[in-house]
Amino acid sequence: MSKIHVTTKINGDPVEYLCEPDETLLDVLRDQLGLTGSKEGCGTGDCGACTVTLDGRLVCSCLVLGAEAEGAEVGTIEGMAEAEALHPLQQKFIEHAALQCGICTPGILVAAKSLLERNPDPTEEETRYWLAGNLCRCTGYDKIIRAVMDAAADMRKAS
Amino acid sequence: MRYLAPTTLEDAVQMLAEDPGECRVLAGGTDLLVRMRAGMTEPDSILDIKRIDALREITAEDGGWRIGAAVSGAVMNEHEGLCADWPGVVEAANLIGSTQIQGRCTLAGNLCNASPAADSVPAMVAAGAVARIAGPNGTRDVPVEDVPLAPGKTCLEQGEFVASIFLPRRGPRGGDAYLRFTPRTEMDIAVVGCAVSLTLDADGICTAARVSLGAVAPTVILVPQAAATLEGTRLDEPALNALARTCSEAASPIADKRGTVEFRTHVAGVLARRAAKIAHERAGG
Amino acid sequence: MALDSKTTQDVMQFKVVGTRPLRPDGIDKVTGRARFGADISAPGMLTGLVLRSPHAHARIKSIDTSAAEAMEGVHAVVTRRDFPERDLDEGTADVLDNCMAGDKVLYDGHALAAVAASSTHIARKALKAIKVDYEPLDHVTDVDAAIQPGAPVLHQGRANESVPEGASPNIMARYEFGHGDIEAGLAQADRVLERSYKTEATHQGYIEPHACLAQMGPDGQADLWCCTQGHYMVRNTCAEILGLAQGQLRVTASEIGGGFGGKTTVFLEPVALMLAKKTQRPVKMVMSRSEVLRATGPTASSSVDMRIGMTKEGIITGAFAELRYQGGAYPGSPVDMGAMSAFAPYDLEHVKTIGWDIVTNRPKAAAYRAPGAPMAAFAVESAIDELAKGFGLDPLEVRLRNAAREGTRASYGPTYPAIGLEATLRRAKDHPHWSAPLGPNQGRGVACGFWFNFGGDTCVSLNVTPDGTVTVSEGNPDIGGSRASMSMMAAEELGIPYEKVRTIVADTGSLGQNEVTDGSRVTFAVGLATIKAARAAKAEMCKRVAQVWGIDEDAVEWKDGAAHPAGPNAGTHPPMTLAEIAAIASNTGGPIAGHCEANPEGAGVSFATHMVDTEVDPDTGAVKILRYTVFQDAGKAVHPAYVEGQFQGGATQGIGWALNEAYIYGEDGLLQNAGFLDYRIPVASDLPMIDAVILEIPNPGHPYGVRGVGETSIVPPLAAVANAVSEAAGVRMASLPMSPPKVLKAIRDS
């Protein structure tokens, strides 16, 4: 098995790596690039803990091959805050106690950010359905939904 | 294992034909990568068709729409013309998995996975969709309902793959709808699915209908006798009752971890009635 | 340590406790920096993978590892033969057998070999190259089928002395609790309800699969990094299994991505250490989701027969329950706790429970949030509801009439001190949810729940730094905000701002023994130890200041974060703040610290009442949760947002258990739904907001009145949802999960 050379952009930085043809983007991020913020909860696209954006589109990185990132732009949780400034969603998650164990948090934040980019004023139902692919076992989702809605309200005011 | 990423349809056909081992076509990958991970398939090569521009487009054709095999559900959902003409097909495609899966999954992939529970397939069948199959001997067009032959098995020959799906011209006073039953509201596989597409005349009489059921037989099935219960009616109560009864009769499901025979049989009729009402309303009825 | 004297709830004025500060690990967790079990690597690391049984029950005739061992890139293969023959206690021997099978594999997914290789690819190939000769045996997975005559036997002769002679060999233990004369009690009833109830096995469903990284040197010194609810337990168990000295094995707990009881034992860790020992290389092991579901520790499935007698006024005259739980392939289902907790919320003259611990060909059950209690409460609370409604009585009122209160002799023995059940019931009755209108096909259910709570070995070290900030080292993984709670209690006690305290979870080399994070013990026991450690540090600081001022130690008192001269000396010296004392510590006797080593009693039992509205689709049997309210006694809510989070999370897990979660075994004894697609935990769109009402009836056993809150919240929802669905569907649902096919069938058959 020969490795494939991939040139891509991750969180705005140019990145090159070699990957096996069947290696997932998630494995590349975690094992090769040290970007362990994306988590593997299932490996089958059923939990959303590995959520990243690929050319702006929300995907499960466990269901993308590393080779497919050639020429693409990948966004992960590590790129969400800007230097010391947390993204409003990150801040609201801490303020609302929207995380308990925190394992699902990176995936949910990446997914919620994508929602608010497309829909700055989502209803509770829209938020719940958008995030249905992100399992959380600790919170019952209540505080997560509140944090997203509150962040959306603040971001609308700020813009 | 090899990863192949052709940029033209011709190259893809040639690579697939010349590959010495088992070569699997990768569109969205939301089924293939899961199967590979579980060790259920160990291909020698993967042929990624997403770098072929023509397969990433939705194009108008003969009043209908041609949807490339690499077009994701999320892209379909953002296409106004397609959503206006075939809301049932788009909704069905958008029931496949989560928002994240939507970013990847394709109609063609859902079809070629050949699961009887595939969400988009009943909607495509009801819509009268046609799959364009590319292969070493050129292309051929096959009605979607004829593509799956059995669970996990399609009519594709060696070296062939689905290049696009064609949804025909909708025409005036037409509507379609797809409903499925799942225990959860999202992130689930259809226990039963039903799609209805119909056309009304100026007086509100149904002139043509297609009804399709998922997860109640080894493949998605087209149920002409169910369509017949709607044609010539205004979808009044007796017609809907007949539709529900006919769909339940047409169901020959298995019992498995997702549902019993009794449940699937009954719910096939329930969903048919509900889907028909939505399609009727969309048709302006 | 009792509730602070003179500081009952009425007069105790908290400054920090009861507020909602930001958690200290929040930024790490929202930025992806927090390191969980699978997030660490080591130079030269190998990948470890486990070979698992494809049979539900089989004798292992032989294992041939030679082909795997000969493969390039394979560094070691281990089987049970590699583990030293040691005289282990029965419980630990079962843990070892569960981690690495001996003569028999006992369930689908049972581990029987493991490899360490230079890549995951090679490790996978190596697993395929291991040849196992199995002799398949008959299997049984259903709890009731397992005790039928002629059922396949898992272990011959392992029943303990409590099991009557002639009982099924798959019964491991019998428990009995209660008091009074059950038949006499039932004879006084206007109606005796007899009904049987069943629940399916469910999994904790933590999103983070088990993971660890092990290293061991030739001198026997070893290091282990893992996600666990208790790294001290991991150390002790692994040391015993591998024959290591406990002090030579240092275990560091990673951040933990959920546990709910499922990470209170070991699965991979002894295997990883054995691979590390054989290869002398770091070995990392991470489970797949399917391995988690097939081969970790789901909870028991249950079958319960109930007889409850009630007068038409709603008084329970007698209550009897016989509970059968299967806890997988080894003894230790939580049926004892089910039998103890079943009737704990009620003041009963005649009550009796019998519990049977049964083995089947399923994975060994681990704890799951209030282990054993939800299934028992499902039966009891369903039966009480059915009786109450049969008499046309208000189900909350009936529970109030029978509610246990201070002085009640509990069905499992003790007499209660001040408890909060009545308070939760009264608050529920007064809540607008109780009087809100319902629409067609909708129903409202209520149920109560109880959990014991627990203390356990606890060791906390609190250190004052030279600049006057404070570090707290504790030994319990932070599973839902406990570092914040510890910092708050330390800040409260010391009279300094929350931001001046940082709490860390220390490794096993840094503190004495700590019980695992279980029994809802951490905020209670570790909190108590933190308060005591802070008090020790305060005493030391007062001593140092007395020395500086040249007055008696007991003439110095601590208030508002500073030492003050007290009594006759009041006002003689300006107060010295913690920072000022810390700055001169070097000259007054050296560093300042406080410690607490304790095994606190007095955890304080906890009660809750849940209320839920559901809508049932009569054509499909689908159930929608419309509204949900939790009323629970927290004693004192240290960080109310995380208390609410526990209530909401427990309720949601209970909803999943009630509606759609279940282990599904085929006729072949193999698990059919080993993934998150068909093991259906609730998703965001399945749920409404979960309203959380915190009641505070101080626990007399804690200085601030704290009770554990984590577990009680999963006890009522099974019955609460069942009561609501039964009302909405017009038919009593006595079997979980209430999946749509089951509900539809019940409607159509009724």
Side-chain angles (χ1 to χ4, degrees):
Chain A
M1 198 182 305
S2 56
K3 291 200 173 189
I4 299 162
H5 178 260
V6 175
T7 305
T8 186
K9 203 177 251 189
I10 298 178
N11 300 326
D13 293 334
V15 172
E16 290 180 57
Y17 56 81
L18 294 173
C19 67
E20 305 283 356
D22 62 350
E23 197 171 353
T24 65
L25 177 60
L26 176 61
D27 285 344
V28 171
L29 291 172
R30 290 180 54 83
D31 299 341
Q32 290 203 41
L33 304 176
L35 295 170
T36 55
S38 306
K39 310 297 180 188
E40 178 170 310
C42 68
T44 52
D46 296 311
C47 81
C50 67
T51 300
V52 302
T53 56
L54 185 66
D55 287 333
R57 196 66 81 188
L58 216 53
V59 296
C60 288
S61 58
C62 74
L63 295 185
V64 176
L65 294 175
E68 293 181 71
E70 171 67 36
E73 292 205 19
V74 178
T76 74
I77 184 65
E78 286 88 351
M80 195 159 167
E82 286 180 31
E84 286 197 349
L86 294 180
H87 186 277
L89 277 162
Q90 293 174 309
Q91 189 61 38
K92 289 294 178 190
F93 265 56
I94 304 176
E95 286 173 13
H96 282 264
L99 53 136
Q100 285 179 34
C101 81
I103 192 86
C104 69
T105 308
I108 292 188
L109 284 167
V110 172
K113 179 167 176 263
S114 166
L115 167 66
L116 299 189
E117 282 164 4
R118 286 167 171 74
N119 180 357
D121 192 7
T123 63
E124 180 188 331
E125 190 179 19
E126 285 167 342
T127 307
R128 287 184 180 276
Y129 274 87
W130 183 271
L131 295 177
N134 292 87
L135 299 183
C136 169
R137 190 60 158 171
C138 293
T139 64
Y141 305 102
D142 183 300
K143 293 181 188 299
I144 291 172
I145 302 299
R146 289 180 200 277
V148 174
M149 307 281 288
D150 192 21
D154 273 16
M155 288 166 70
R156 286 196 303 275
K157 262 183 247 157
S159 64
Chain B
M1 208 183 91
R2 296 194 306 157
Y3 170 79
L4 308 169
T7 54
T8 68
L9 193 59
E10 294 70 30
D11 284 355
V13 169
Q14 196 181 347
M15 283 178 183
L16 197 55
E18 288 173 358
D19 197 89
E22 186 193 345
C23 181
R24 299 295 299 254
V25 173
L26 170 69
T30 54
D31 284 310
L32 179 61
L33 265 64
V34 173
R35 295 170 62 80
M36 282 167 56
R37 160 88 188 218
M40 289 158 73
T41 177
E42 291 178 36
D44 302 296
S45 310
I46 284 178
L47 184 102
D48 184 355
I49 57 170
K50 287 192 294 299
R51 296 189 184 274
I52 304 169
D53 287 340
L55 302 193
R56 298 175 61 101
E57 289 170 358
I58 300 172
T59 46
E61 182 179 314
D62 294 340
W65 298 102
R66 184 163 295 284
I67 301 163
V71 172
S72 71
V75 169
M76 286 170 61
N77 201 33
E78 290 163 9
H79 192 284
E80 282 180 24
L82 184 63
C83 291
D85 281 357
W86 295 104
V89 174
V90 176
E91 278 170 5
N94 279 274
L95 283 172
I96 305 168
S98 59
T99 316
Q100 288 84 336
I101 300 296
Q102 285 306 308
R104 301 277 292 169
C105 69
T106 65
L107 288 182
N110 201 219
L111 176 60
C112 293
N113 197 41
S115 162
D119 281 310
S120 71
V121 179
M124 286 193 280
V125 169
V130 176
R132 176 154 295 171
I133 295 170
N137 302 319
T139 60
R140 59 187 179 116
D141 286 348
V142 177
V144 162
E145 58 268 33
D146 294 337
V147 174
L149 300 178
K153 196 167 180 305
T154 67
C155 72
L156 295 179
E157 302 288 339
Q158 182 73 28
E160 286 189 328
F161 66 97
V162 172
S164 64
I165 302 288
F166 179 68
L167 290 170
R169 176 183 159 81
R170 174 72 269 187
R173 305 213 71 184
D176 73 329
Y178 171 75
L179 292 175
R180 65 165 187 189
F181 185 85
T182 56
R184 289 190 290 193
T185 50
E186 273 280 342
M187 299 305 291
D188 229 323
I189 297 282
V191 183
V192 187
C194 179
V196 176
S197 174
L198 48 78
T199 307
L200 306 178
D201 67 13
D203 297 329
I205 306 288
C206 174
T207 55
R210 283 170 70 89
V211 177
S212 163
L213 292 172
V216 295
T219 63
V220 168
I221 53 171
L222 181 66
V223 192
Q225 65 274 34
T229 63
L230 299 178
E231 286 163 353
T233 77
R234 293 178 189 277
L235 272 72
D236 44 19
E237 267 311 292
L240 292 171
N241 288 341
L243 171 72
R245 196 170 51 245
T246 310
C247 283
S248 287
E249 283 165 7
S252 55
I254 54 165
D256 66 6
K257 62 189 172 187
R258 293 176 185 141
T260 58
V261 169
E262 182 192 4
F263 180 80
R264 287 189 158 114
T265 303
H266 177 76
V267 173
V270 172
L271 293 186
R273 165 193 285 274
R274 293 177 183 179
K277 280 177 150 174
I278 298 169
H280 185 238
E281 195 181 312
R282 284 177 175 163
Chain C
M1 189 154 91
L3 190 67
D4 276 2
S5 52
K6 78 180 177 343
T7 54
T8 63
Q9 196 69 3
D10 299 333
V11 297
M12 200 184 281
Q13 295 295 318
F14 292 109
K15 289 201 173 82
V16 183
V17 165
T19 65
R20 299 176 180 232
L22 305 184
R23 65 192 282 168
D25 52 329
I27 289 174
D28 281 354
K29 285 184 174 161
V30 299
T31 54
R33 287 207 295 262
R35 291 194 303 172
F36 291 83
D39 295 343
I40 196 166
S41 313
M45 183 174 85
L46 301 172
T47 299
L49 288 181
V50 174
L51 182 69
R52 298 185 180 279
S53 168
H55 298 289
H57 195 191
R59 194 169 307 286
I60 302 171
K61 293 167 78 175
S62 66
I63 305 177
D64 179 359
T65 59
S66 55
E69 279 164 327
M71 288 171 65
E72 202 172 31
V74 173
H75 289 252
V77 180
V78 304
T79 65
R80 180 64 172 274
R81 280 196 302 267
D82 292 283
F83 288 84
E85 286 284 338
R86 283 169 56 76
D87 189 21
L88 302 172
D89 69 68
E90 214 170 61
T92 310
D94 283 346
V95 170
L96 168 59
D97 200 65
N98 194 40
C99 291
M100 193 55 69
D103 301 339
K104 290 206 295 183
V105 284
L106 296 167
Y107 58 89
D108 169 32
H110 196 165
L112 70 155
V115 302
S118 55
S119 76
T120 308
H121 270 284
I122 295 171
R124 281 204 190 114
K125 278 189 191 156
L127 288 185
K128 286 188 180 166
I130 298 173
K131 296 186 194 72
V132 185
D133 189 6
Y134 295 100
E135 177 196 339
L137 303 170
D138 289 343
H139 62 269
V140 61
T141 54
D142 180 74
V143 61
D144 290 322
I147 55 172
Q148 294 305 309
V153 176
L154 276 82
H155 314 279
Q156 203 61 254
R158 273 208 66 181
N160 74 16
E161 63 289 348
S162 64
V163 179
E165 244 175 81
S168 161
N170 288 329
I171 296 175
M172 296 288 113
R174 178 187 184 277
Y175 300 92
E176 184 176 325
F177 300 94
H179 53 251
D181 177 345
I182 210 62
E183 297 307 327
L186 293 174
Q188 297 165 30
D190 291 313
R191 182 183 169 199
V192 175
L193 176 73
E194 291 192 33
R195 203 182 262 289
S196 298
Y197 302 85
K198 284 198 98 160
T199 67
E200 287 296 342
T202 55
H203 194 274
Q204 299 84 357
Y206 35 82
I207 308 299
E208 181 200 29
H210 298 255
C212 66
L213 173 68
Q215 312 193 54
M216 196 186 300
D219 55 0
Q221 287 195 47
D223 282 276
L224 183 66
W225 158 282
C226 62
C227 60
T228 175
Q229 288 176 246
H231 40 308
Y232 292 80
M233 169 279 300
V234 172
R235 176 191 67 182
N236 301 355
T237 306
C238 290
E240 199 179 343
I241 286 173
L242 278 91
L244 299 170
Q246 289 178 357
Q248 295 299 325
L249 171 58
R250 184 177 66 155
V251 184
T252 306
S254 69
E255 295 296 331
I256 174 169
F260 315 107
K263 291 175 182 167
T264 58
T265 183
V266 295
F267 298 102
L268 295 174
E269 293 83 354
V271 178
L273 282 164
M274 185 54 74
L275 287 167
K277 183 181 181 191
K278 263 190 126 168
T279 59
Q280 292 294 310
R281 297 262 294 263
V283 176
K284 181 169 170 178
M285 300 184 82
V286 182
M287 279 196 194
S288 68
R289 177 54 49 184
S290 121
E291 287 180 289
V292 170
L293 287 164
R294 283 170 76 203
T296 61
T299 190
S301 60
S302 76
S303 174
V304 178
D305 299 330
M306 180 80 58
R307 281 194 295 154
I308 298 192
M310 191 182 279
T311 66
K312 57 184 190 304
E313 293 77 30
I315 303 297
I316 300 171
T317 59
F320 172 78
E322 184 161 5
L323 306 95
R324 294 173 296 277
Y325 287 15
Q326 69 73 29
Y330 302 87
S333 82
V335 74
D336 48 344
M337 288 187 277
M340 289 167 81
S341 65
F343 295 108
Y346 300 107
D347 184 358
L348 303 173
E349 203 178 330
H350 307 289
V351 58
K352 181 169 163 179
T353 54
I354 295 173
W356 299 96
D357 179 21
I358 295 161
V359 289
T360 65
N361 294 109
R362 294 182 182 225
K364 179 175 168 36
Y368 179 19
R369 205 169 196 158
M375 313 78 141
F378 166 59
V380 171
E381 296 294 314
S382 293
I384 289 175
D385 198 72
E386 189 173 353
L387 282 165
K389 284 179 180 159
F391 286 126
L393 299 172
D394 175 330
L396 281 177
E397 189 55 42
V398 165
R399 286 173 172 84
L400 269 169
R401 282 182 201 165
N402 296 283
R405 41 183 70 85
E406 187 167 357
T408 294
R409 181 181 173 197
S411 55
Y412 65 98
T415 298
Y416 290 129
I419 56 172
L421 175 63
E422 273 188 293
T424 68
L425 284 163
R426 291 195 194 286
R427 182 66 72 86
K429 268 196 98 170
D430 294 342
H431 195 275
H433 184 171
W434 186 234
S435 48
L438 288 168
N441 299 316
Q442 296 180 357
R444 177 167 299 144
V446 293
C448 295
F450 156 89
W451 187 243
F452 307 90
N453 292 334
F454 183 55
D457 281 339
T458 307
C459 184
V460 166
S461 176
L462 181 147
N463 289 281
V464 179
T465 64
D467 73 352
T469 50
V470 169
T471 62
V472 175
S473 299
E474 50 127 330
N476 281 86
D478 179 350
I479 208 157
S482 58
R483 275 170 295 201
S485 300
M486 296 315 134
S487 295
M488 291 171 76
M489 284 184 267
E492 184 74 53
E493 196 59 38
L494 294 169
I496 59 175
Y498 168 77
E499 293 73 23
K500 294 279 187 191
V501 184
R502 181 166 182 191
T503 299
I504 64 140
V505 179
D507 64 48
T508 56
S510 307
L511 291 172
Q513 177 66 19
N514 282 281
E515 170 67 34
V516 296
T517 297
D518 69 356
S520 301
R521 74 176 214 93
V522 171
T523 313
F524 165 74
V526 183
L528 182 148
T530 300
I531 293 166
K532 275 191 161 184
R535 288 181 181 175
K538 285 196 299 192
E540 178 63 23
M541 288 188 282
C542 288
K543 193 173 108 189
R544 302 288 180 91
V545 171
Q547 197 182 308
V548 172
W549 288 339
I551 62 177
D552 282 351
E553 277 175 46
D554 45 12
V556 180
E557 67 174 1
W558 190 270
K559 58 182 185 194
D560 301 332
H564 296 254
N569 298 304
T572 54
H573 300 277
M576 279 186 82
T577 64
L578 183 144
E580 287 165 351
I581 301 165
I584 58 164
S586 190
N587 302 325
T588 60
I592 293 162
H595 300 269
C596 176
E597 294 79 32
N599 182 358
E601 304 282 334
V605 298
S606 153
F607 292 90
T609 298
H610 287 202
M611 190 179 296
V612 56
D613 297 351
T614 63
E615 182 170 314
V616 174
D617 180 340
D619 295 324
T620 64
V623 175
K624 186 174 164 61
I625 303 289
L626 302 170
R627 184 171 182 180
Y628 203 107
T629 311
V630 176
F631 307 87
Q632 187 177 322
D633 172 20
K636 175 67 198 172
V638 176
H639 193 308
Y642 288 100
V643 172
E644 291 161 1
Q646 290 295 322
F647 292 4
Q648 292 162 337
T652 300
Q653 286 185 316
I655 290 168
W657 198 338
L659 294 182
N660 285 312
E661 290 179 37
Y663 265 54
I664 304 170
Y665 280 93
E667 290 291 310
D668 54 7
L670 306 184
L671 184 62
Q672 295 192 338
N673 58 337
F676 274 145
L677 186 58
D678 283 301
Y679 185 84
R680 298 186 180 84
I681 78 173
V683 301
S685 49
D686 290 339
L687 295 166
M689 294 297 186
I690 310 284
D691 292 329
V693 178
I694 302 173
L695 290 104
E696 296 188 322
I697 292 87
N699 169 21
H702 184 279
Y704 297 168
V706 168
R707 297 175 197 271
V709 298
E711 290 171 289
T712 309
S713 55
I714 201 175
V715 182
L718 281 59
V721 175
N723 291 338
V725 170
S726 297
E727 185 175 295
V731 52
R732 176 54 56 178
M733 300 301 298
S735 162
L736 302 185
M738 293 176 284
S739 60
K742 211 186 267 181
V743 174
L744 184 65
K745 185 171 189 319
I747 292 171
R748 284 163 63 88
D749 289 350
S750 69

